[in-house]
Amino acid sequence: MCGIIGYVGPRPCREILVDGLKRLEYRGYDSAGIALITDEGLAIRKDAGRISVLEGILEEDPIEGIVGIAHTRWATHGIPTQRNAHPHTDGKHHFAIVHNGIIENYSALKARLERNGSRFETDTDTEVLVHLLAKSWNGNLEESVATALKAVDGTFGIAVVSDLDPGKVIGARRGSPLVVGIGSDEYFLASDVSAILSHTKHVVYLDDGEMVVLTRDGYRTQTLDEVAVVKAVEEITWELSQIEKSGFPHFMLKEIFEQPRALMDAFRGRIDPGTGETRLGGLNLSADQIKRFDRIVLLACGTSWHAALIGEYMLEEICRIPVEVEYASEFRYRKPVIDDRSLVIAISQSGETADTLAALREAKKRGARVLGICNVVGSTIARESDGGIYTHAGPEIGVASTKAFTTQLAVLVVLTVHLARLRGQAIAAGNALVRALVGLPSLVERCLEGSERIREIAEVYHKHNNFLYLGRGYNFPVALEGALKLKEISYIHAEGYPAAEMKHGPIALIDQNMPVVFICTRDSAYEKILHNMEEVRSRKGRIIAVATEGDDALEAKADHLIYIPQTLDPLIGLLSVIPLQLLAYHMAVRRGCNVDQPRNLAKSVTVE
Ligand code: G6P
C-alpha cells in the first residue's frame, strides 16, 4: 500500500528519498514520485510504474535539494497514471503533498473548491488536500496544514513541503501510520520504519490526530489542533540485514527459511518446558480478570485470519471457552454482541490493517478487553490494545505472509496454555504442548529440506489454472492458507475446503485436470480424510498429499507425497503449512511471477 518518506537535513536528499522508496516497494505500489525544494523553488518528478521509471526521469531531468518528500502510490481513486501519481501540487506550484489513506468527503470538497476557482488536474481524492492547503495559506506551513485538515473527513498520513516556507517537512496522521526518524542533525518522516532504518534507529511514532514539524534544527510534535505534545523516543530493534535478501533470490524464500529462528524468538522467555509454565508479561490481565471472560473473539484479515481459525480450535479444545473468529471487515459493521466479559484479540502482522484496527476500536467501544497479537513493534494496533503479545518474527517483506503466520500460531499456543493454566484447566495437555513447542523449530528445519522435491512437483503442475486444497481439523485452516498462498503469488485459482465439505459442491469440479492438495497427516482426522482421498481418486483427480513421515500406506493413493514430521494435533499447522508455502513459491517462480510484490496486493492494507 502507499508509502511515504520525507527528509530535512544538511545532505542533498534525492537519493536518500529514492532509496527509502525502494525499501517501501514491498508494500505494493503502482506509481512513484518525489518533490524537492530546489534553489529554483518546488520541483516534482513522478510517473506510473516502478521506481526505476522514476529514476530514469530523474536522470534525464535531475533535481536536487535538502528538503523533500517522496511517495509510492497504490491506486484507490484514479487509475495509475503520471497525473494521478503523488506528489500533488496546487495551481501555482508552491505546495506539494503526498498522502496515504482516503479522503471520504473529497467530492463535496472538490465541488466547493472548484466553485471558488481551483482547477483540478487529477482523478485522486488527495488533490483536494493541496488545494485546501493553498486556500488556507497564512505564511506558516504547519498552521496552514492544520487549518486545511479541519475540513477533511477520512483517513490520512501526509507529508507536505512548500517553497514558501522552504525549510520544513510537515507530517500529519489520522488512521494511516507515520513515524519520525531522528538522525544526527537530520530528520526523516516515513510511513514505515524500513524506509529509514539505514539512517537511524531512533524514532517517534505519531498517534492519530497528531502532526509533526521537521526542520534542520529539530522536530516538534503537536495535535491537529496545534497543542504541543511531548512524545517518547523509541529505539528500533530490527537490523538492516533483516530487511535485505541475504543471498536468497526472493524475500519470501528467505522468510520461509527463517521460520525455525523466528519461531524460537516467538516463544523464547515465554515458556518453561520443565514446568510447563508460561510468561506473557504484556497481557496486562490478572488471573481474576481471565476467569471472568465468558468468550473470546478473534479479529483478523487474510493470513492472520487463518491463524485465528487455528487459534479458535486450540482455545476451545484446551481452555474450554467459546471462541469466535471474525473477519475484521465484517465485525466492524455488524453490531456484534460484545461486552466487558468478552476478551477480544486482534491478530495482525503489520498492526496497521485498517479493518482490524477499526474492529478493535469497535470492540473497545462496546466494553471488551482488547489484546493485540502483532509483529510490528509500536504499530497502531499494538499501541491501542489494552495488552498484547509481539510475535517477534522480524520484518516480513514478502507480500505473501509466511513467518508471520507460523509465529502467530506459536504465540497462540503459548496464549492458549497460559489462559488454560490461569483458569485451572488442561494442565497436563498444556505441559505437553509447551514441551512439543520447544522441539518445533528443528521439525520445521526438516520440512524445509523438502524444498527441492516440492520444486519438482511445481514443475509438473505449473501450467494448471485451478487447485483444490483439502484438510480436516487443525489442517482445514492450513488448506485455506495454502490456497491463499498459491493464488496470491502465482495467480492460480485455488480454493481451500474442509475435506468433508467437498461432496457438497467442489466434487463436481474433480477430473484429471484438477490437482487436489490433501493435508493428510496422522492426526485425529486421518482416517476420515482417507475416504475423501478415495472420492477424488475415483474421479481421476490428481493428488498431492502432505503426509506424516513413515506413512507408506499413502503411496498407493497419492500421485505425489510430501512428508513432514509428526507432532501434536494443535501444533500440526506449524509444520503442514511449510510445504504449502514452498509449493506456492516454486509455482510462482516457475510461472515467472513477481513473487515478492504480486500484482494488485499490498503488504499492509491501510485503507478500508
Ligand atoms: C494483506 C496482506 C496479507 C495479510 C493481510 C492482513 O492482505 O497481503 O498477507 O495477511 O493483509 O495483514 P495483517 O498485517 O493485519 O496481518
Side-chain angles (χ1 to χ4, degrees):
M1 201 126 284
C2 308
I4 290 176
I5 177 161
Y7 176 87
V8 186
R11 296 191 276 163
C13 65
R14 183 183 88 189
E15 237 177 270
I16 296 173
L17 295 179
V18 173
D19 284 348
L21 289 186
K22 288 184 188 160
R23 303 269 186 204
L24 294 174
E25 275 195 298
Y26 77 97
R27 297 169 63 95
Y29 71 106
D30 45 53
S31 327
I34 183 170
L36 297 177
I37 304 300
T38 71
D39 293 340
E40 286 79 46
L42 177 68
I44 295 177
R45 302 287 183 269
K46 59 182 189 175
D47 210 341
R50 313 303 294 171
I51 292 167
S52 53
V53 174
L54 177 65
E55 286 184 298
I57 294 171
L58 285 167
E59 216 159 89
E60 266 179 32
D61 196 3
I63 49 173
E64 195 50 279
I66 55 171
V67 174
I69 55 177
H71 191 255
T72 44
R73 173 175 189 248
W74 188 85
T76 54
H77 293 72
I79 57 169
T81 59
Q82 198 267 347
R83 276 187 317 117
N84 288 339
H86 300 213
H88 293 296
T89 186
D90 58 304
K92 295 198 172 132
H93 209 70
H94 285 309
F95 305 94
I97 189 164
V98 296
H99 166 225
N100 294 355
I102 292 178
I103 307 301
E104 280 162 11
N105 59 338
Y106 88 100
S107 306
L109 289 173
K110 187 170 174 180
R112 200 177 80 203
L113 286 158
E114 278 176 329
R115 278 198 301 277
N116 289 328
S118 300
R119 280 199 37 235
F120 281 77
E121 303 203 330
T122 79
D123 312 313
T124 66
D125 53 332
T126 303
E127 199 184 357
V128 298
L129 288 178
V130 76
H131 288 292
L132 277 176
L133 173 57
K135 288 263 185 281
S136 312
W137 179 240
N138 72 352
N140 172 294
L141 193 53
E142 59 273 28
E143 287 174 17
S144 309
V145 169
T147 309
L149 290 176
K150 290 202 168 67
V152 167
D153 292 337
T155 55
F156 52 81
I158 55 168
V160 183
V161 290
S162 170
D163 59 4
L164 300 176
D165 195 357
K168 294 175 182 168
V169 170
I170 312 294
R173 89 161 261 186
R174 187 202 288 152
S176 219
L178 276 184
V179 59
V180 178
I182 304 163
S184 43
D185 294 330
E186 57 184 3
Y187 298 89
F188 304 83
L189 184 67
S191 52
D192 175 331
V193 290
S194 25
I196 54 176
L197 194 55
S198 59
H199 303 287
T200 179
K201 288 187 153 191
H202 295 104
V203 298
V204 169
Y205 295 101
L206 289 194
D207 283 307
D208 273 351
E210 291 180 348
M211 56 191 289
V212 64
V213 184
L214 307 180
T215 67
R216 263 188 81 162
D217 304 322
Y219 69 94
R220 216 157 28 78
T221 43
Q222 58 182 56
T223 64
L224 293 175
D225 298 322
E226 298 172 81
V227 179
V229 228
V230 180
K231 311 272 304 173
V233 177
E234 298 183 39
E235 196 172 336
I236 304 169
T237 51
W238 290 354
E239 296 300 328
L240 193 59
S241 59
Q242 288 181 278
I243 57 167
E244 289 173 344
K245 283 190 201 146
S246 313
F248 282 89
H250 298 99
F251 280 111
M252 183 182 176
L253 191 64
K254 175 182 175 233
E255 288 158 7
I256 290 173
F257 274 81
E258 274 172 355
Q259 288 177 108
R261 194 226 16 96
L263 284 174
M264 219 126 54
D265 290 345
F267 61 68
R268 179 175 292 127
R270 291 172 165 165
I271 51 176
D272 181 337
T275 62
E277 267 164 34
T278 48
R279 276 179 298 275
L280 290 172
L283 287 191
N284 302 329
L285 283 176
S286 68
D288 281 345
Q289 279 172 305
I290 287 174
K291 284 183 196 135
R292 256 181 56 79
F293 294 125
D294 60 10
R295 70 191 182 119
I296 297 177
V297 178
L298 302 175
L299 303 172
C301 303
T303 288
S304 299
W305 188 83
H306 296 154
L309 273 187
I310 297 181
E312 175 187 27
Y313 283 36
M314 273 191 289
L315 284 159
E316 290 205 337
E317 179 180 335
I318 312 287
C319 294
R320 307 307 300 150
I321 182 167
V323 180
E324 280 163 55
V325 179
E326 299 264 4
Y327 285 114
S329 54
E330 289 297 312
F331 178 90
R332 63 184 288 194
Y333 290 120
R334 69 161 192 78
K335 304 190 177 54
V337 180
I338 293 284
D339 58 28
D340 62 352
R341 301 196 63 176
S342 315
L343 175 62
V344 171
I345 308 177
I347 306 179
S348 172
Q349 186 284 128
S350 61
E352 302 292 351
T353 301
D355 284 325
T356 312
L357 179 58
L360 172 151
R361 288 176 178 159
E362 181 63 32
K364 267 181 114 168
K365 220 163 64 194
R366 289 169 187 267
R369 186 87 188 170
V370 174
L371 300 180
I373 295 182
C374 298
N375 188 35
V376 178
V377 175
S379 56
T380 312
I381 291 175
R383 284 181 294 131
E384 290 200 14
S385 301
D386 299 314
I389 317 172
Y390 283 119
T391 51
H392 296 316
E396 191 179 66
I397 307 289
V399 165
S401 192
T402 52
K403 63 177 179 171
F405 176 73
T406 42
T407 52
Q408 284 166 348
L409 293 185
V411 159
L412 282 164
V413 174
V414 180
L415 180 66
T416 301
V417 177
H418 189 78
L419 296 183
R421 283 182 85 92
L422 289 177
R423 292 166 71 90
Q425 272 153 337
I427 304 297
N431 288 355
L433 274 179
V434 165
R435 275 195 304 276
L437 189 59
V438 177
L440 250 261
S442 61
L443 301 186
V444 171
E445 296 272 10
R446 272 199 356 236
C447 297
L448 293 170
E449 285 164 15
S451 182
E452 180 51 27
R453 159 119 192 80
I454 294 166
R455 196 192 58 73
E456 287 163 13
I457 297 174
E459 195 60 44
V460 178
Y461 290 98
H462 73 275
K463 290 207 173 118
H464 284 257
N465 286 322
N466 294 290
F467 267 74
L468 199 57
Y469 283 68
L470 300 176
R472 295 187 81 147
Y474 283 97
N475 278 326
F476 156 55
V478 176
L480 296 180
E481 175 59 9
L484 178 66
K485 286 287 85 82
L486 191 70
K487 62 188 144 204
E488 279 180 315
I489 59 168
S490 66
Y491 318 141
I492 293 172
H493 172 244
E495 283 204 61
Y497 249 83
E501 273 292 302
M502 179 185 63
K503 56 187 170 294
H504 300 294
I507 199 164
L509 302 170
I510 307 285
D511 63 15
Q512 66 282 6
N513 297 317
M514 176 63 97
V516 182
V517 179
F518 270 95
I519 306 130
C520 181
T521 51
R522 285 270 182 183
D523 50 42
S524 49
Y526 178 76
E527 295 296 337
K528 300 278 175 202
I529 206 168
L530 288 185
H531 301 309
N532 306 131
M533 209 181 254
E534 286 301 344
E535 287 158 7
V536 170
R537 263 170 64 77
S538 54
R539 288 163 183 80
K540 297 199 169 59
R542 308 289 303 276
I543 295 176
I544 302 165
V546 175
T548 303
E549 285 169 358
D551 188 356
D552 305 335
L554 285 182
E555 264 165 34
K557 297 188 194 295
D559 297 284
H560 308 271
L561 269 172
I562 305 167
Y563 285 119
I564 61 168
Q566 174 84 291
T567 184
L568 299 177
D569 280 17
L571 303 183
I572 191 64
L574 283 144
L575 301 181
S576 55
V577 77
I578 309 283
L580 305 188
Q581 295 169 343
L582 286 166
L583 182 64
Y585 172 79
H586 288 300
M587 295 278 277
V589 170
R590 187 63 185 76
R591 287 165 70 95
C593 298
N594 185 344
V595 172
D596 285 331
Q597 291 154 34
R599 69 184 180 205
N600 305 340
L601 294 180
K603 181 71 188 157
S604 172
V605 180
T606 50
V607 295
E608 198 179 334

